[in-house]
Amino acid sequence: MNPQAAVHRTETGGIPTLFAQADGPMRAGLAFRVGVADETLARTGVTHLVEHLALHRLGMADYHFNGATKAAFTHFHVEGAEHEVVAYLHGVCASLTALPMERLETEKEILRTEESRRDTPQLPLWRYGAQGYGLVSYPEWGVRNLGPQDVEAWAHTWFTQGNAVLWVAGERLPAGLTLKLPAGPRRPMPVVTSALPATPAYFSDGTGGVLLDAVVADSTAARLYAGVLERELSRALRQEGGYSYTAAADCTARRDGFATVTAFADALPAKQDAVLGGFVDVLAGLQVGRIGQTDLDAVRTRADSALNAPDAVVRRLPGMAEDLLAGRSSLTLDELRAELRSVTPADLHAVAVEAAGTALMQVPHGHSADWAGYTAAPTSSSHAVTGRRFPSLRSDGSTLVVGEEGVSQTEVGPDGTEHAVTVPYRACAAMLSWPDGGRRLIGTDGLVVDMEPGLYGVDAHTMAVVAAAVPPAVVVWLPPRERTPASEPVPAPGGGGAIRAGSPGRATPTRRTGGQTAALVVFGLLGALFGFLALSFTVFGADDPETSTGELISISGFMWGLTALLAWPTVRILRRTRRV
């Protein structure tokens, strides 16, 4: 395909269509302006469920097709012969118009299985809260309670003719393509919320390394800045310091005039201080303008090569469809090349300064970034409600307060100051409800209050008052828990606190003790050592003429078995505990 080929805009059955001539199999996609950020916390997963149901009738096919639900967009895409593309698109539209509700419960189970294997990012939750773009950080809690009418109403509201864009890459537009969808308007982009009173901000969670994102104006300079940032992090933390194995950065358009720059560097527990310090130093260097022309030229050359690739236009079509749905214009390849050539180190410096002002950093547990000018993201509320007080039956210093406007959980810190987490009823994003009477109220800011009758002695009347005060639409009914918080070990006084997110229906993680931490380190190091020895013997032992095949298999099998034996307790400790 000619990378200079133009993208032509037309219509197919009233749906805006982007077409580019291309060789090879025909490729096409149908994009809708709906995603997770349009849902509520209590109904998360409804868009993903519609996507699954729409694809069910297509069954097994010889051509490639799939669907994807993103924060603000949903895509159905296909690659194959022209008649296969036409059949796929007709099938998707027919299913969206009349979803196969006989598959509803089966697809729910499939979604739960898919969710169990998915890692959810934490940065969106802390930046946006339990609403809008922050919902990508949460489980799909809403799926369990959705009925046929709920799903059909969502499909008929969002998967409409006016809220769709078709894109096609091939020798011609497919003959006989008529897409029939319900009428409906183009939907605006999701509202951008914030759970951060101030930025730059940080929070402490996990042990895997340092992760950062920043919201900047969407521009070619922002994408080049992410490339230069990745080079600097790799140079400082991997090549020179030897602290990290992976150091990466990326820039993702939000399609509303802004983009998110994300950066990550991993770290072993013993190297966390060095990685955090080196990470901050790299950011500081870029913020004061230490940006080399050589680095910019290298990143620019890589970006220009991508624009000159044979399939450059085709790869851009899904993003152009999203721009059209968001009401934004897309640059041509020539315009993008011109912008690439015009970017200077000063432009990247401006992006670095902008990113510094909106940055949110996740640091390993037990670390902070206040020394670098970052403000701790809030884990408590500014006030507690007034009402009935229920002291903890564990005598850990915490108290549950149930008032007319909301609920609070308070505790007294080591300095004697009372800290509170409050969820007002009017700002309750979801109330998770278990058959044993436990309730978890999650505020739109992401803060959580647990109402556990077995921990606070809350009477049935008070629980009923809360149930009546919370809007019915935010109630999420969940299956029985394997363990309740009342069965957990009693923490040290003052050891409780606010949480931002949690997975219902799973055992509440216990605190990792000093002995468990030591065991984790010992077993982890021994497992890594024997794993290295096993790998070395397996690779190089085969080249030793004095070692027979039988001996090689026996010794290698023993070493790998010992490695697995040492790795097992490490995995068990990690899965059963967490740091708090």
Side-chain angles (χ1 to χ4, degrees):
M1 173 182 173
N2 179 7
Q4 302 290 338
V7 176
H8 302 280
R9 179 171 172 177
T10 181
E11 280 194 358
T12 303
I15 297 176
T17 302
L18 302 173
F19 172 72
Q21 286 193 334
D23 300 327
M26 179 172 285
R27 284 155 284 184
L30 188 60
F32 294 90
R33 220 311 289 140
V34 59
V36 180
D38 299 295
E39 303 168 353
T40 64
L41 181 58
R43 294 296 179 265
T44 46
V46 59
T47 309
H48 195 187
L49 183 56
V50 170
E51 175 221 313
H52 270 236
L53 288 169
L55 292 177
H56 165 66
R57 289 196 180 108
L58 297 170
M60 303 294 292
D62 294 331
Y63 56 90
H64 174 73
F65 70 88
N66 211 335
T69 301
K70 303 169 63 177
F73 303 94
T74 299
H75 290 261
F76 297 93
H77 52 86
V78 59
E79 177 179 329
E82 181 175 322
H83 71 278
E84 293 170 331
V85 170
V86 171
Y88 171 81
L89 293 174
H90 282 172
V92 167
C93 291
S95 289
L96 288 173
T97 303
L99 292 170
M101 285 304 168
E102 70 277 5
R103 287 282 301 181
L104 183 60
E105 295 305 318
T106 301
E107 294 300 333
K108 287 182 179 183
E109 289 297 321
I110 294 173
L111 289 186
R112 284 196 283 272
T113 302
E114 182 180 339
E115 181 180 270
S116 68
R117 302 169 55 188
R118 183 170 58 239
D119 291 329
T120 52
Q122 292 300 301
L123 285 169
L125 184 162
W126 287 80
R127 179 177 291 279
Y128 302 110
Q131 55 186 328
Y133 288 98
L135 296 182
V136 298
S137 294
Y138 285 89
E140 294 176 337
W141 282 323
V143 168
R144 290 183 180 274
N145 303 144
L146 292 171
Q149 292 182 339
D150 302 316
V151 180
E152 287 177 343
W154 190 262
H156 294 159
T157 300
W158 293 91
F159 291 86
T160 63
Q161 184 184 77
N163 207 34
V165 167
L166 171 70
W167 62 265
V168 178
E171 295 181 357
R172 61 173 185 172
L173 278 172
L177 184 60
T178 55
L179 304 183
K180 297 180 180 179
L181 288 169
R186 176 71 51 79
R187 297 289 174 172
M189 291 293 287
V191 174
V192 179
T193 58
S194 177
L196 297 174
T199 53
Y202 79 94
F203 65 97
S204 176
D205 185 30
T207 60
V210 179
L211 183 62
L212 174 140
D213 74 9
V215 178
V216 299
D218 187 9
S219 66
T220 299
R223 286 181 280 279
L224 293 178
Y225 167 76
V228 170
L229 174 58
E230 180 175 290
R231 287 174 64 88
E232 287 292 328
L233 289 172
S234 296
R235 180 184 296 121
L237 301 180
R238 176 168 179 166
Q239 296 176 359
E240 297 177 358
Y243 308 133
S244 296
Y245 173 74
T246 299
D250 193 18
C251 180
T252 305
R254 209 168 60 187
R255 307 295 178 189
D256 61 353
F258 292 90
T260 302
V261 173
T262 306
F264 169 74
D266 58 7
L268 291 172
K271 301 292 185 181
Q272 290 173 358
D273 286 327
V275 170
L276 177 57
F279 199 105
V280 170
D281 287 345
V282 167
L283 293 173
L286 297 176
Q287 290 160 23
V288 299
R290 290 203 296 268
I291 300 171
Q293 184 69 48
T294 301
D295 286 331
L296 171 57
D297 290 341
V299 174
R300 186 186 352 244
T301 298
R302 186 172 60 192
D304 187 63
S305 297
L307 294 179
N308 284 299
D311 62 345
V313 172
V314 176
R315 287 189 290 106
R316 295 189 65 236
L317 285 174
M320 295 178 70
E322 291 184 359
D323 278 335
L324 187 55
L325 287 168
R328 296 182 57 79
S329 60
S330 299
L331 298 179
T332 66
L333 289 178
D334 287 338
E335 291 170 334
L336 286 171
R337 291 190 189 93
E339 285 202 356
L340 276 178
R341 290 192 295 268
S342 67
V343 173
T344 66
D347 296 323
L348 299 195
H349 178 212
V351 175
V353 172
E354 183 183 12
T358 64
L360 173 63
M361 181 182 293
Q362 177 180 329
V363 302
H365 183 84
H367 293 72
S368 71
D370 47 8
W371 55 270
Y374 291 74
T375 301
T379 56
S380 61
S381 306
S382 59
H383 72 287
V385 300
T386 56
R388 292 192 63 186
R389 300 176 67 87
F390 299 88
S392 171
L393 300 180
R394 294 181 171 185
S395 301
D396 58 7
S398 65
T399 301
L400 183 69
V401 186
V402 180
E404 294 183 357
E405 69 272 20
V407 296
S408 297
Q409 182 180 348
T410 69
E411 64 176 15
V412 179
D415 59 354
T417 303
E418 184 178 78
H419 301 275
V421 177
T422 298
V423 177
Y425 300 132
R426 58 177 173 76
C428 181
M431 183 173 77
L432 309 185
S433 304
W434 289 276
D436 57 28
R439 300 291 183 264
R440 171 173 291 180
L441 283 79
I442 305 174
T444 53
D445 58 3
L447 295 179
V448 173
V449 172
D450 282 325
M451 292 188 64
E452 294 289 346
L455 292 183
Y456 292 99
V458 185
D459 58 88
H461 173 73
T462 302
M463 296 296 290
V465 168
V466 173
V470 171
V474 306
V475 178
V476 178
W477 289 101
L478 296 170
R481 297 178 285 187
E482 294 179 6
R483 297 166 66 187
T484 65
S487 66
E488 297 298 327
V490 179
I499 58 175
R500 283 260 184 173
S503 297
R506 301 177 184 173
T508 304
T510 58
R511 290 167 171 80
R512 189 181 302 152
T513 65
Q516 289 171 327
T517 300
L520 181 64
V521 173
V522 171
F523 282 115
L525 290 176
L526 288 175
L529 174 61
F530 277 95
F532 175 76
L533 292 175
L535 180 62
S536 299
F537 186 82
T538 302
V539 173
F540 299 109
D543 296 331
D544 187 354
E546 297 183 0
T547 303
S548 67
T549 302
E551 290 175 333
L552 177 64
I553 294 174
S554 298
I555 298 175
S556 296
F558 173 76
M559 288 185 173
W560 283 116
L562 188 56
T563 300
L565 187 63
L566 290 167
W568 176 244
T570 305
V571 173
R572 293 287 293 175
I573 294 172
L574 285 172
R575 292 185 62 182
R576 293 175 64 87
T577 66
R578 67 169 170 88
R579 287 193 178 275
V580 294

